[in-house]
Amino acid sequence: MLLEGYRNLTLAKTGILSFASGRSWGAHFELAEDVRSLFPYINAVIPEARYHDKPEYMIFLFEGVRCTVYPKDVVAAPFSGRQSACRFGEKLTEFLNDLDRRRNEIVPNHRKYRPVSVIEIYRLLPRSNCRSCGYLTCMAFAAAIAQATATPDQCPGFAAPIYEYAVYPIYDAHGNLAETVTIEKDIEKREETTERAFAVAEPVRPQSDETEKTLGQPPLTDREKEVLRLLSGGATNNHISETLRISPHTVKSHVIHIFNKLAVNDRTQAAVLAAKHDLI
């Protein structure tokens, strides 16, 4: 058992009008042990829980009560009085101890919530109010993303990312999460490496003199020519995606096909060949 209970429970009036008697009570109490090692497990089992960082704490609904759990403190509301707050403290303690017992049965979720303002998200959108996302306006969609009730992939025109961050766990000798390491991934460089790997992996047929003149066995499609024109101008896959209104994955496929048809291994070679033979 991780927790023997809680202590030092105090109540204070809140502004929440949930009970007929008027304003309800908010409770604060201390936990007997540090429970931060359980945060990834809470994050895994409770829908819409939010795992915050700096400082580290969890926000979630438990037994109909909005609950904020810090490593050794809990703040929760609303309660009708001290008795209901005490019952909640007991149930929360039981819940945390049950999670501790079932650690080996639960896949922990280490993803942490990092809030972004609605305006910042709105600036990433096409601002056309096309409703493809299911919302009436781009601003409403931005607000839904900020509240974690919608995701960027619902919008076909959402700006493509330049970088991604992978968070890797470091465990202590007892198998508990000790810390995490965040590694930044450059999407464009990774895509170009993938393109070269696929182009080299797929065999290219030797070209005859006539083929070398036209460089079209098989010939480039109209879409591939559009991609090649933008690629030759220095456009990244994300820029090509936005310009042609196609997905980054589709762009990557076109680039790989272009490499194979032109018998080249990178974007520079493709651009030089395109200019030399007037392919675009």
Side-chain angles (χ1 to χ4, degrees), residues 14-15 41-42 45 47 101 108 124 149 158 184-185 216 224 226 233:
T14 71
Y41 298 91
I42 297 173
V45 302
R101 286 191 293 269
L124 299 172
T149 57
F158 198 92
E184 184 179 277
K185 297 181 177 179
E224 287 168 351
E226 289 180 309

Side-chain angles (χ1 to χ4, degrees), residues 11-30:
L11 296 178
K13 285 286 188 180
T14 71
I16 303 174
L17 298 171
S18 297
F19 299 98
S21 58
R23 287 182 177 169
S24 61
W25 295 90
H28 169 264
F29 54 87
E30 299 174 8

Side-chain angles (χ1 to χ4, degrees), residues 61-103:
L61 282 176
F62 180 73
E63 298 287 329
V65 173
R66 187 168 181 80
C67 180
T68 303
V69 178
Y70 297 91
K72 296 193 70 173
D73 294 271
V74 175
V75 178
F79 301 107
S80 58
R82 188 175 188 85
Q83 187 175 5
S84 64
C86 288
R87 285 198 300 268
F88 174 83
E90 292 168 359
K91 289 183 178 180
L92 181 63
T93 299
E94 291 174 3
F95 167 71
L96 295 175
N97 279 330
D98 181 61
L99 274 186
D100 186 49
R101 286 191 293 269
R102 296 191 298 119
R103 281 177 187 256

Side-chain angles (χ1 to χ4, degrees), residues 17-169:
L17 298 171
S18 297
F19 299 98
S21 58
R23 287 182 177 169
S24 61
W25 295 90
H28 169 264
F29 54 87
E30 299 174 8
L31 298 172
E33 303 292 339
D34 189 314
V35 297
R36 78 182 74 204
S37 65
L38 292 179
F39 288 175
Y41 298 91
I42 297 173
N43 205 27
V45 302
I46 295 189
E48 299 184 13
R50 289 185 176 179
Y51 187 1
H52 289 255
D53 197 9
K54 299 178 182 178
E56 199 171 10
Y57 64 96
M58 293 289 308
I59 295 180
F60 55 95
L61 282 176
F62 180 73
E63 298 287 329
V65 173
R66 187 168 181 80
C67 180
T68 303
V69 178
Y70 297 91
K72 296 193 70 173
D73 294 271
V74 175
V75 178
F79 301 107
S80 58
R82 188 175 188 85
Q83 187 175 5
S84 64
C86 288
R87 285 198 300 268
F88 174 83
E90 292 168 359
K91 289 183 178 180
L92 181 63
T93 299
E94 291 174 3
F95 167 71
L96 295 175
N97 279 330
D98 181 61
L99 274 186
D100 186 49
R101 286 191 293 269
R102 296 191 298 119
R103 281 177 187 256
N104 294 334
E105 304 170 14
I106 303 170
V107 177
N109 180 358
H110 297 285
R111 184 177 181 180
K112 295 184 179 179
Y113 173 72
R114 294 178 175 85
V116 181
S117 75
V118 174
I119 295 300
E120 287 178 312
I121 297 171
Y122 178 70
R123 291 170 62 191
L124 299 172
L125 299 173
R127 287 164 271 182
S128 60
N129 298 330
C130 67
R131 302 187 184 183
S132 297
C133 60
Y135 291 82
L136 293 178
T137 65
C138 287
M139 184 62 77
F141 180 56
I145 293 177
Q147 296 167 6
T149 57
T151 56
D153 57 7
Q154 292 175 232
C155 172
F158 198 92
I162 299 174
Y163 295 97
E164 288 181 346
Y165 296 88
V167 180
Y168 297 91

